[in-house]
Amino acid sequence: MPSPFRHPLVLAVCSVLAGSLSLSAWSAELPKRKSGLWEIHTQIVGAPSPGPMKMCVDANTDNLMQEQPGQKPDCSTMDVKQSGNKVTIHTVCRMDKTTVTTDGVLTGDFSSGYKSDMTMRYSPPLQGMKETRMTQETRWLGPCAKGQKPGDIIMPNMGTFNPAEMMKDPRFKEMLQQHQH
């Protein structure tokens, strides 16, 4: 298996993670997902679909965008509103030398399934991107599989990786920093 740090799908995920670190600040305000295995279909406009990912979630790893130590977002606007099964989000955050404005809508019950539509705008552009639009359809499958750890993500044709563990790896941190410049 190729190094997970050089795989194109991981590079795409890294770009989304790097561009979305500001989202971690509102994670505490979002409804919590049911613990267990979630299937996530992601479509980023202009990028091929990586196919369905599966993520093992528990109360401590509910959000893929959890803050990592030393990576607190610098946000001037944090607006999260919930009305029934709908959550709207508007954030304006600084990430390095780029301002990331995020607008999103999440709909569903968070215990069996939900959909999210997110738009992130970058000023100045991040890695040549002015905007990223992403849609996710997510559904709960049941308990995590034997041997899975909370936070584990299974990607098609790539195997399992854990972003929280990857963030501890100096090579991964360096790659994220390179993508931000």
Side-chain angles (χ1 to χ4, degrees):
M1 178 192 284
S3 166
F5 300 105
R6 293 207 172 127
H7 194 283
L9 291 176
V10 172
L11 293 176
V13 169
C14 291
S15 295
V16 171
L17 288 173
S20 304
L21 283 174
S22 65
L23 303 180
S24 64
W26 50 259
S27 65
E29 299 179 47
L30 291 176
K32 297 299 180 193
R33 292 181 291 182
K34 183 177 183 177
S35 292
L37 189 62
W38 286 81
E39 182 176 71
I40 305 164
H41 292 265
T42 301
Q43 182 60 57
I44 299 172
V45 174
S49 173
M53 297 182 286
K54 293 180 181 166
M55 181 176 186
C56 179
V57 172
D58 73 357
N60 294 322
T61 59
D62 182 38
N63 190 346
L64 176 62
M65 306 310 303
Q66 283 187 35
E67 278 184 25
Q68 300 297 323
Q71 294 183 340
K72 294 220 180 263
D74 176 13
C75 301
S76 61
T77 303
M78 298 298 304
D79 187 21
V80 179
K81 295 179 181 157
Q82 182 173 359
S83 177
N85 286 346
K86 181 178 178 180
V87 178
T88 58
I89 299 159
H90 174 74
T91 65
V92 178
C93 302
R94 290 286 295 163
M95 187 182 72
D96 202 20
K97 297 177 183 175
T98 300
T99 299
V100 181
T101 302
T102 303
D103 289 291
V105 176
L106 294 87
T107 53
D109 65 11
F110 293 87
S111 65
S112 63
Y114 63 94
K115 180 179 179 183
S116 67
D117 291 296
M118 306 292 281
T119 300
M120 292 160 279
R121 290 175 299 286
Y122 310 101
S123 178
L126 182 68
Q127 291 290 301
M129 292 187 306
K130 293 180 182 179
E131 180 177 278
T132 301
R133 291 185 320 207
M134 178 174 64
T135 300
Q136 289 186 325
E137 292 191 30
T138 307
R139 68 185 178 108
W140 188 77
L141 299 176
C144 294
K146 184 178 180 178
Q148 279 185 313
K149 297 184 305 258
D152 281 355
I153 296 175
I154 303 167
M155 293 187 72
N157 304 315
M158 198 182 126
T160 302
F161 70 99
N162 190 307
E165 291 176 10
M166 289 175 74
M167 290 302 293
K168 296 174 187 173
D169 188 310
R171 297 175 297 164
F172 185 77
K173 286 181 181 180
E174 181 179 326
M175 184 175 66
L176 270 181
Q177 288 175 346
Q178 289 173 357
H179 282 291
Q180 291 176 5
H181 299 292

